[in-house]
Amino acid sequence: MNKGILKDTKKAAGSGRKCLTAFVALWIVMRLAAQSQSPYISKVYDFMPAPGQFVNEMPAYAPGDTQEDMNRKVEETIAGANHNEGMITLGGFGGYIVFGFDHEVTNEPGRYDFRILGNAFYADANPNGDTSREGGSCEPGIVMVSRDVNGNGLPDDPWYELAGSDYHHPATIHNYRITYYKPDENKVRDPDPNYPAINDRTYIRWTTNGHGDGYLFRNIYHTQSYYPRWTGGETLSFEGTKLADNYVDESGKGSYYVQYASHWGYADNHPNADGRSGFNIEWAVDAGGNPVALPGIHFVKVYTAVNQYCGWLGETSTEIAGAEDLHLTGRDAAVPVFVSGITLNRSAASLTAGQTLTLSADVTPANAADRRVTWQSSNAAVASVANGTVMALANGTAVIRAIANDGYYVAECNISVASGGQVDPDPDPGPGTDPDPDPQPGGTKVTGVTLSRTQMEMKPGDMTPLVATVTPSTATNRAVNWSTSAARVAEVTVNGLVLAGEPGTAIITVTTVDGQRTASCTVQVRNASANDDVTADRPQATAAAGILHLVRLDGYDCALFTATGQLISAFRPASPDEYRPCSLTPGIYILTARKQGEEKQIVIKLKF
């Protein structure tokens, strides 16, 4: 072989080995760098809550604390190893947090890129049985993102909002600006005569840029200042996108509020176990609402998205417990194609009793991941519906609803039924034995009510449901009310859950709204015996002398309710033996607890 060719070949081979070695070295460095990246929040850059009942408590303010001190406390609560172990509040509308990751979170099309953990949960019960289950304590926060374009490691580059499901909603207000005024903590209070829990209706004044003004109330459950004590200013102003109020007083009397979830795209809006606690960087838009293509992001800002007050529950405030890069944790699931609407082929129809009508529902878009529909009738005694087939039964009117399971979008058809051979859905068994009379004007009347049990024995702390059956099954108004003769012995919730208190006897009574028909159950509460199975290491909660004592509840997302289902407060204990201030009157309370994404509920009786 020519010596020159051989020399050139060896030289080329040597260069190839050097290139391969360099490539391997680079690959190793990149792998090591990736392994050293944390999927969780690495730094909190700014934190400024709007006034609210948990401000100066989550995290706790100490006299002399500066902005840097509060940023550090927030970071210690929700960043790094403390991910999902603590929680901070953002207060009312506009209150915010700015945090960042130690790397760029990449934008992978069609997949959730990161998620934000909050304290949202759905109501276990709702007086309005015809409405969405995706409601309870859902306190949505707007999410914004930024990329470190200038490479200085600071969140000083342009910010972009992630446009969630309500971004284009007609009730959404963009560029909403609110100003809160520092309160006089020693002012004469203005209590609400209708709601004893509200002890000052004119506590913190707020104004907006043309969208009304009002006050943030003070309640008896939180006695500290609701205004951030580390800020020296006399006012606090925030600006951003405001979503429509999402709460409904489902009790009709200010005792049971439900905050309904937006469909997707907001923090603290769905339970952490729900995939919609995730966010896709592809949702980013600029100030004009135009889509922005970002290869990735380094910083996230979250702020409370509504300005509303839920009676004695207080203001809606977004809570944050952490955030994570889903690509690093391996939870970067595909983002489903969400339902955006539903329509019916008819909006109204007139039928004669005995006739049927077939309705068809069109769910959009056509490629939505979940196109299932639930059908409901507002008056099943007049017109029933099954899989879109409407059966006219009796004189009157009814609204047939097609409800998209994804997003709870609703389409309606108004049905009017005229006389003409009425069809009795429950035929008479014989002359003189009609337990289910034919429909009367104004709907089918209630004729009776029974309970699943007429007597039962319980131990203090036990919980047993009672089921009320209203007759006839076609009764127009099947609503009932529950009561107890001795609340200290046994309390009952709005849905018939009986909670045993101290030893004794109580009568639980159910009364129909229509006709005032009643049924009762005698409850005997006895002391626990030595033969009763008692688990010593179960989570426990007791209350006395204004202190709530929580045992083995560290890391749980807790919510404290009255026995009738009224939410008092939500929190996460940080230690296995924790004491928290509380303002509770003697009675029975329910503490629910959730941990590590499980939807299993732990209910604990508070003793006095």
Side-chain angles (χ1 to χ4, degrees), residues 140 166 169 171-173 242-247 305-306 308:
D166 294 359
H169 193 285
T172 296
I173 302 174
K242 176 190 170 298
L243 303 183
D245 290 354
N246 70 332
Y247 80 92
V306 292
Q308 66 184 9

Side-chain angles (χ1 to χ4, degrees), residues 62-73:
D65 277 347
T66 64
Q67 181 66 59
E68 290 71 23
D69 292 326
M70 297 307 295
N71 290 351
R72 173 181 50 79
K73 287 184 177 183

Side-chain angles (χ1 to χ4, degrees), residues 449-456 464-470 482 495-498 508 510 519-522:
V449 62
T450 58
L451 285 175
S452 53
R453 302 180 69 169
T454 58
Q455 59 183 1
M456 58 184 177
T464 303
L466 286 175
V467 178
T469 301
V470 177
W482 297 85
N495 292 302
L497 178 65
V498 179
I508 303 299
V510 64
S520 299
C521 175
T522 301

